[in-house]
Amino acid sequence: MARLETAVLTASEIYARNHQAQSARVETLRARIAEATSGGRLDMVERHRKRGKLLVRERIDLLADPGTAFLELSSLAAYGQYGGEVPGAGIVTGIGIVHGLPCMIIANDATVKGGSFYHETVQKHIRAQEIAAETRLPCLYLVDCGGAYLPEQDRVFPDARHFGNSFYRQANMSASGLPQISAVFGGCTAGGAYIPALSDEVIMVRGNARIHLGGPSIVKVAINEVADGETLGGAEMHSRVSGVSDHLAEDEYHALALMRDIVAELGQSRPMPPDAAPAPPAHDPSELLGIISADRKQPYDMREVLLRMIDAGEFREFKPGWGETLVCGTGRIHGYRVGILANNGALMSDSSLKGAQFVSMCDQRNIPLLFLHNIAGFMVGTEAERGGIAKNSAKLVYAMSVAKVPRLSVLLGGSYGAGNYGMCGRGFAPNFLFAWPTAELATMSADIATNVMQELRRQKGGEPERMETDLAQIEAQVRAQYGEQSDPYYATSRLWDDGLIEPGQTRDVLGLCLAIVSSVPEKGRHTPVFRM
């Protein structure tokens, strides 16, 4: 296979300037993730410890096989919202390996508002279930959940992708043969009670775990009955009287050991061998920080990115001399073959047609697709329209939409307007979508949006002085809006991606994702588990 060659001079002033700017962005990302994962909730952590409870990530570490990777999703969900009081949206989700089997782990963080569900909590929970259903992963629920956060009830309860939808997905995954297993570590009230109640198998921790549709206060108001939480829904009662619990654990360590034993007995296997021996990239991935331009408006060659992402720099480029604003070709990442589409400018008619053909070829040959976004959009203007950009761009969107192979997306730089659509943005259900801290996601750039809105004002006419005032006000308002809403932290806070990652981590993250999507077993006939 042909090898790419670098043209980057790592000793150059441009490289040094870019490296300094991107290093600062990476340090910001690391600091914000550290804040979200630790939270600084010292009083809540202390109270949690006094109850003999482990922290959520400690539970995950004990559940997963030692020394294996955990692919955490959306760690900055709800970032910058709710006054910073809901780090990570109060839940940890991700893919971990348990007895050699990849599993989706969905774990409540009771140090954040008692594990209550905010809007972003629900969306993060559902997104994890979506990925589990698509990639045929068992779901392991580490439940410590106070149910819906009542002041948020209109954003949590009634709609199609609200709390109830998570139970619908849980039941249907079980019916499709995907095990749903819960370990309960704390109080689970109302909607929180249905997570274990709808599971195939349930473990409860003596003394701390509780399951009840209505807690003591609700029972008192509803039927004037006085009952303490343990009598109402404790682990002993549910294990010996109601039958809601299948296993009574003496402590959290015991509960996690029981969950590992259950996974070991599932009888499922997920071999994940790549089709070639993995090889390191031709150049150090850390050099990406000096290659990605500090100024988002300055272009860079995606081939230089690929040299630091794919195995051995080996890349069989498709139509390299035609449709040059879209780089297409096949390579390997950690030994897994992948078809790559990467933006080197706006999508023209020729590059759109090239992309559509390449996507169709990969789909026919069962090669997963990777889309690397740095795209201002499809080309506009008289020449582009006369050349059929509308129908040609639609062909790329169509080919990408109907492709049956796994699709992964990473937002490196701008991902604007219909360009986001053509490159498999969130609306087109990629199996995984990650973003760099250099990404911008919006209908268009702030510059273009400002000019459009100002032109609309000019068309209205009026007194010159008033118009100048209005134009200045429009510029300030639009730039402020787009500056805030196209920021990568704004996007990841709202679950518009599956997490922000460092450029140097991208190869390893994609390797984990390809290992998962490349070994999805065929769907067969299954018998649902009905709790008796």
Side-chain angles (χ1 to χ4, degrees), residues 298-371:
Q298 291 298 316
Y300 48 87
D301 189 352
M302 278 290 191
R303 294 174 186 84
E304 296 290 352
V305 174
L306 295 179
L307 269 170
R308 291 148 182 90
M309 192 177 293
I310 61 176
D311 290 6
E314 294 181 346
F315 185 64
R316 189 171 71 84
E317 190 164 353
F318 178 69
K319 291 185 184 291
W322 191 75
E324 295 181 20
T325 61
L326 184 65
V327 177
C328 299
T330 53
R332 285 188 172 89
I333 296 178
H334 281 286
Y336 292 95
R337 187 180 298 277
V338 62
I340 300 170
L341 296 90
N343 302 124
N344 255 7
L347 284 163
M348 314 289 192
S349 277
D350 55 359
S351 50
S352 298
L353 292 171
K354 170 181 169 178
Q357 182 184 356
F358 180 71
V359 166
S360 299
M361 286 170 49
C362 289
D363 194 34
Q364 183 189 65
R365 298 169 187 177
N366 201 33
I367 300 173
L369 291 163
L370 169 61
F371 298 83

Side-chain angles (χ1 to χ4, degrees), residues 415-434:
S415 186
Y416 297 115
N420 172 269
Y421 296 166
M423 292 294 290
C424 195
R426 188 65 139 181
F428 293 83
N431 296 74
F432 292 94
L433 187 150
F434 295 97

Side-chain angles (χ1 to χ4, degrees), residues 215-227 232:
S217 59
I218 293 177
V219 170
K220 178 68 169 68
V221 172
I223 61 173
N224 200 31
E225 178 185 331
V226 177
L232 190 62

Side-chain angles (χ1 to χ4, degrees), residues 163 175 250 264 329 365 412 445 463 472:
F163 208 178
E250 295 303 319
R365 298 169 187 177
L412 278 60
S445 69
E463 298 178 1

